[in-house]
């Protein structure tokens, strides 16, 4: 059974997609043991509580400085000791020490086709604003493992979404969620839980082996 902690900053629509997929058995061998948010008012925490899942708020604003938050956040994650950490719209950078402790055990969903429209400053609605400003015809979403860089970890899966002439950032954001994010993230979790993914030389490939194999 894959023990998962989901980190969310806002409404938690990707979290809901994961919960729904577990309920429908589209994700198997998986248990969400906690949901963490940096925002006490996040609807994601309510979604967790409604499913009987431990809901935790940890905000950098509650600590004397970012270093203190990073230590506390990493300690809490080590205490929970999940098999997988899922960043489902989490707008806090993961501490480097946590990335090292949970190497190849942290995944993120990003609302573009990496390496386009990613990195520092590209998050949430800002991504879709930049996509429309640039005038590209195709965007999408990417699920990837998290490393020390910003949106630079090994890519697990991507799905394209076409842009329409009358799109606004809000309309495009919703379509990318519905047509890509809510499909990709549950599938990636199920693949990991059932040993269909391995990381070799910092690249992801699908496998039918019974366990995840990580090589460096």
């Amino acid at each position: 059974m894959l023990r998962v902690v989901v980190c969310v900053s806002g409404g938690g629509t990707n979290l809901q997609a994961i919960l729904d997929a577990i309920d429908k058995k589209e994700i198997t061998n998986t248990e969400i043991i906690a949901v963490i948010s940096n925002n006490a008012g996040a609807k994601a925490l309510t979604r967790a509580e409604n499913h009987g899942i431990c809901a935790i708020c940890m905000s950098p604003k509650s600590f004397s400085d970012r270093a203190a938050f990073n230590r506390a956040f990493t300690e809490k994650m080590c205490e929970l000791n999940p098999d997988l950490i899922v960043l489902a719209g989490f707008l806090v950078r993961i501490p480097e020490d946590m990335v090292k402790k949970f190497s190849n055990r942290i995944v993120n969903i990003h609302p573009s086709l990496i390496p386009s429209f990613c990195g520092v400053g590209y998050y949430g609605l800002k991504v879709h604003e930049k996509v429309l400003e640039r005038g590209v015809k195709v965007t999408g979403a990417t699920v990837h493992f998290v490393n020390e860089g910003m949106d630079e970890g090994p890519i697990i899966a991507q799905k394209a979404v076409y842009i329409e002439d009358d799109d606004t950032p809000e309309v495009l954001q919703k379509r990318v969620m519905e047509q890509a994010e809510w499909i990709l993230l549950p599938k990636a979790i199920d693949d990991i839980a059932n040993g269909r993914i391995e990381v070799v030389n910092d690249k992801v490939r699908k496998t039918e082996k019974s366990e995840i194999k990580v090589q460096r």
Side-chain angles (χ1 to χ4, degrees):
M1 184 70 72
L2 190 77
R3 300 170 69 256
V4 178
V5 170
V6 182
C7 298
V8 195
S9 290
T13 54
N14 273 305
L15 168 64
Q16 190 64 54
I18 296 167
L19 294 171
D20 291 346
I22 291 174
D23 290 343
K24 295 175 184 177
K25 301 191 185 310
E26 294 170 359
I27 298 176
T28 59
N29 299 325
T30 299
E31 174 190 12
I32 299 180
I33 60 171
V35 171
I36 297 177
S37 179
N38 60 304
N39 178 6
K43 188 176 179 180
L45 295 176
T46 302
R47 294 181 194 271
E49 291 169 349
N50 289 342
H51 275 74
I53 298 168
C54 176
I56 301 167
C57 179
M58 292 193 72
S59 171
K61 297 178 182 179
S62 300
F63 293 83
S64 58
D65 55 33
R66 183 51 70 97
F69 166 77
N70 285 347
R71 287 193 298 271
F73 188 26
T74 302
E75 288 170 3
K76 172 56 70 174
M77 198 64 75
C78 289
E79 176 187 320
L80 293 168
N81 193 30
D83 301 308
L84 185 70
I85 300 167
V86 176
L87 310 182
F90 193 53
L91 303 183
V92 176
R93 184 157 188 168
I94 302 302
E96 186 174 334
D97 191 41
M98 186 187 297
V99 173
K100 291 178 180 178
K101 289 179 183 297
F102 292 91
S103 177
N104 290 318
R105 293 164 59 193
I106 307 174
V107 299
N108 179 54
I109 181 78
H110 184 77
S112 77
L113 297 175
I114 292 174
S116 297
F117 304 102
C118 65
V120 177
Y122 285 91
Y123 61 89
L125 199 62
K126 293 181 182 295
V127 175
H128 307 291
E129 291 172 347
K130 293 298 184 182
V131 164
L132 293 177
E133 285 177 13
R134 185 66 182 87
V136 300
K137 304 305 179 184
V138 179
T139 184
T142 303
V143 180
H144 65 95
F145 283 108
V146 174
N147 62 11
E148 291 82 357
M150 182 67 74
D151 300 328
E152 295 177 2
I155 291 174
I156 298 171
Q158 294 182 305
K159 192 173 190 300
V161 174
Y162 285 97
I163 293 167
E164 299 181 5
D165 292 340
D166 58 350
D167 273 341
T168 65
E170 292 80 8
V171 168
L172 182 58
Q173 181 182 52
K174 183 177 180 182
R175 188 183 314 115
V176 169
M177 287 179 179
E178 293 174 344
Q179 296 185 8
E181 295 182 43
W182 299 347
I183 297 169
L184 287 178
L185 190 54
K187 181 64 167 63
I189 294 170
D190 186 60
D191 282 342
I192 292 170
N194 290 284
R196 293 190 291 268
I197 284 177
E198 65 179 3
V199 182
V200 179
N201 297 325
D202 288 329
K203 291 186 179 180
V204 174
R205 67 185 184 190
K206 296 293 182 71
T207 175
E208 294 302 322
K209 296 178 181 177
S210 60
E211 61 182 19
I212 300 172
K213 181 180 180 183
V214 178
Q215 297 179 352
R216 285 286 183 181

